[in-house]
Amino acid sequence: MRVMSQMGMVMNLDKCIGCHTCSVTCKQAWTNRTGVEYAWFNNVETRPGLGYPRGYEDQERWKGGWVRTKRGSLELRGGGRLKRLLRIFSNPTLPGLSDYYEPWTYDYDVLLSAPAQADVPVARPKSLITGEPMQIRWSANWDDDLGGSPENTRRDPILRQMGDKVKLDFEHAFMFYVPRICEHCLNPSCVAACPSGAMYKRVEDGIVLVDQDACRGWRMCISGCPYKKVYFNHRTGKAEKCTFCYPRVEAGQPTICAETCVGRMRYVGLFLYDADRVLEAASVEDEHDLLETQRSIILDPEDPDVIAAARAAGIAEDWIEAAQHSPVYALTNRYRIALPLHPEYRTMPMVWYIPPLSPVVDALSGSGFDGEHQASLFAAIDTLRIPIEYLAELFTAGDPAPVVHSLKVLAAMRAHMRRANLGQVADGSATASVGFTPQAIEDLYRLLAVAKYEDRYVIPGAHVETGRALDELPGVTFTYSGGPGTGGVGPFGEVPTTPVSVENFMLARQRSEAGRYADLPEGRGAVEVRSWSDAAAEPASPASDEETSK
């Protein structure tokens, strides 16, 4: 057993309202610059729909992820090394700009400088790529305006597999939101597909990054990623992707998408896993077994043998403690209600989802039934407006049993807590039917419904002893023109690597500490807020002997 640590995330789709705040804040933090106008490290998709880029789940077209060969080994769907080498200068399986969208701005000067006239001036859309006027026909969140309608959903790759099981007429329409970031997989196909070795998975926390100095712009990583969460910067000629906000994580802070989530539906924490079993787990023959094998390599952080192996592997005590209190481990393995996105890609994704239950409550209540009663909820799960088969194709490679289990646990939690809130005696039947004790269900309720900040985000900070290693990491910063990998002073166009990890670690820590409450000294009266600072509250340090002698 080789214990390693992995940062992970769980998203509760029952609470996502599709506000796109996470997308906007991520955009401002990471891709608000020239060359990646079209890139969204975080985006929120309306399902059913085509996703972003358009139809990214159609792996027959895009050749992403892994496939199991007849010999039982894994091979990139895009082909082996020789096949990829033969087309390294011409990769035909890349999404084009039309599959993403052509980013645009507006000619605002028309509004500001137009003379007085009878007609209202119009700011026409202008392409950020060519600078020419354009027609807006598609964007990252285009499905929002067409949620549940047949306009685009008929081309949804999942619906195509389901045949006539889903009707798209108005009375049967349904929709829900799925936020997506890079999955930071345990078995990342993008890393395996990169010819230059620029894609790598960090040892200390499992975050997948791109070395901007080593990247040569082959774009094989884009083809290899089945989630299409690697983007090409058309200005620098480099690949870029979600970084799991590693400077914030190193300072013990959550990702910016989780920090700003309006619905508080994201959970960030640490997994401990057995690195020696990743390939074995990803290579099982039956796709329906992939969920359980992935759960099986995630280790119980309370197990004494796991703790001993983690210490032997050099994992710090506070990281082990963080894994023991991790909300993501609780939701994936203890309560077993979180599910991975498309496990059939065999990449072992580490961003998990709790399937949505909310529409069934509204549907039952609108039909005159008790929408929170256990019997009504359990009976309605099989006839959800969101088809179980659709959720299964998203999260369990088509196996409906884990999805039904997750929804029944959520339904039992609602039924149990409803009785508790009404002052009724809980008979335990709702919880026992899903294999939970009343205390376990109440603990799950606290985590899902009323969890505090420190319960949703259990993130151990980087250690001083690893600071030097972080300082020597390849240049992964790409927030300014002329940065690492973008050309510059060297004979081959290179520039010195900025110690981005440690530098941003200190900045993020300063930002986090600046927002903390200060302890007011005893006997102090009213505080002038406008002139208040932490330093003002600290007692003057005693003078040294040298200063006293002076």
Side-chain angles (χ1 to χ4, degrees), residues 42-318:
N42 181 108
N43 69 290
V44 181
E45 297 173 354
T46 304
R47 307 312 302 253
L50 301 185
Y52 180 75
R54 209 178 321 205
Y56 76 92
E57 294 162 304
D58 186 359
Q59 302 311 325
E60 294 301 319
R61 177 186 180 189
W62 301 120
K63 309 296 183 185
W66 301 90
V67 291
R68 189 178 186 273
T69 65
K70 295 181 179 179
R71 300 187 304 273
S73 60
L74 291 186
E75 180 181 87
L76 289 173
R77 189 182 292 269
R81 293 183 179 180
L82 179 59
K83 184 176 180 179
R84 285 181 285 125
L85 180 62
L86 291 175
R87 56 183 174 82
I88 193 169
F89 294 105
S90 177
N91 187 354
T93 55
L94 285 173
L97 198 58
S98 60
D99 298 303
Y100 295 104
Y101 72 102
E102 187 171 357
W104 70 88
T105 184
Y106 294 94
D107 192 358
Y108 293 106
D109 186 60
V110 172
L111 304 180
L112 299 175
S113 60
Q117 52 186 302
D119 299 322
V120 177
V122 176
R124 297 186 181 279
K126 183 170 61 175
S127 171
L128 286 173
I129 305 298
T130 65
E132 300 296 325
M134 59 171 285
Q135 289 283 342
I136 301 174
R137 301 187 184 279
W138 185 257
S139 74
N141 303 312
W142 200 261
D143 285 339
D144 272 8
D145 297 328
L146 301 168
S149 74
E151 292 296 325
N152 283 316
T153 53
R154 294 190 187 280
R155 292 183 288 167
D156 183 329
I158 295 180
L159 288 183
R160 285 206 303 266
Q161 298 176 24
M162 297 177 62
D164 297 330
K165 291 183 179 180
V166 176
K167 299 179 181 179
L168 295 175
D169 48 329
F170 180 76
E171 60 269 22
H172 294 97
F174 67 93
M175 58 179 287
F176 61 101
Y177 300 106
V178 179
R180 290 204 308 122
I181 63 172
C182 168
E183 300 289 328
H184 297 278
C185 307
L186 296 181
N187 186 35
S189 53
C190 58
V191 173
C194 178
S196 57
M199 300 277 293
Y200 65 100
K201 187 172 180 65
R202 296 212 307 191
V203 173
E204 60 270 22
D205 53 18
I207 296 175
V208 178
L209 297 172
V210 183
D211 179 356
Q212 295 288 289
D213 286 323
C215 180
R216 295 294 177 263
W218 298 120
R219 289 173 280 186
M220 291 293 179
C221 54
I222 301 176
S223 299
C225 175
Y227 304 97
K228 292 296 173 281
K229 274 300 177 182
V230 185
Y231 300 91
F232 184 71
N233 187 320
H234 60 82
R235 177 167 181 175
T236 64
K238 308 289 182 178
E240 300 185 11
K241 61 176 293 298
C242 161
T243 66
F244 210 84
C245 289
Y246 69 93
R248 295 176 57 90
V249 170
E250 289 168 9
Q253 296 178 280
T255 61
I256 195 67
C257 58
E259 179 81 67
T260 58
C261 176
V262 173
R264 298 184 179 183
M265 46 79 72
R266 298 188 187 227
Y267 299 79
V268 182
L270 196 68
F271 291 105
L272 297 180
Y273 71 99
D274 186 356
D276 287 336
R277 294 188 53 223
V278 170
L279 183 59
E280 172 194 344
S283 304
V284 295
E285 182 176 2
D286 190 348
E287 290 182 344
H288 290 177
D289 294 334
L290 286 167
L291 170 61
E292 286 308 314
T293 57
Q294 183 169 348
R295 280 179 173 156
S296 70
I297 64 174
I298 297 175
L299 303 173
D300 182 359
E302 302 282 357
D303 188 332
D305 293 336
V306 173
I307 295 174
R311 289 171 178 163
I315 298 177
E317 290 295 327
D318 60 331

Side-chain angles (χ1 to χ4, degrees), residues 469-505:
L470 291 173
D471 194 5
E472 295 172 353
L473 280 176
V476 293
T477 179
F478 34 68
T479 56
Y480 60 94
S481 180
T486 60
V489 299
F492 300 104
E494 75 277 7
V495 296
T497 299
T498 304
V500 61
S501 295
V502 173
E503 174 185 310
N504 283 328
F505 170 86

Side-chain angles (χ1 to χ4, degrees), residues 333-476:
N333 279 45
R334 187 175 304 141
Y335 300 113
R336 301 171 67 85
I337 61 172
L339 307 169
L341 182 65
H342 289 299
E344 68 273 17
Y345 297 159
R346 300 180 183 270
T347 60
M348 300 281 118
M350 295 311 290
V351 177
W352 300 62
Y353 295 86
I354 299 174
L357 178 67
S358 291
V360 69
V361 177
D362 297 334
L364 287 173
S365 301
S367 302
F369 293 94
D370 187 346
E372 300 288 352
H373 191 269
Q374 173 199 348
S376 301
L377 280 173
F378 278 20
I381 283 176
D382 293 331
T383 57
L384 277 176
R385 193 164 189 170
I386 302 176
I388 295 293
E389 295 85 356
Y390 189 89
L391 296 174
E393 290 291 341
L394 272 178
F395 302 122
T396 59
D399 183 9
V403 177
V404 172
H405 170 75
S406 296
L407 296 178
K408 283 190 173 182
V409 171
L410 295 177
M413 180 185 70
R414 292 190 181 193
H416 176 81
M417 294 309 301
R418 184 203 186 214
R419 294 181 67 90
N421 292 332
L422 293 177
Q424 300 174 356
V425 178
D427 57 8
S429 60
T431 58
S433 63
V434 291
F436 281 75
T437 63
Q439 184 60 51
I441 281 290
E442 290 174 13
D443 291 341
L444 176 60
Y445 169 75
R446 292 190 187 96
L447 182 58
L448 292 181
V450 293
K452 295 181 179 179
Y453 186 94
E454 58 269 19
D455 296 326
R456 286 182 284 123
Y457 311 131
V458 182
I459 306 169
H463 277 249
V464 174
E465 59 267 25
T466 62
R468 179 60 60 185
L470 291 173
D471 194 5
E472 295 172 353
L473 280 176
V476 293

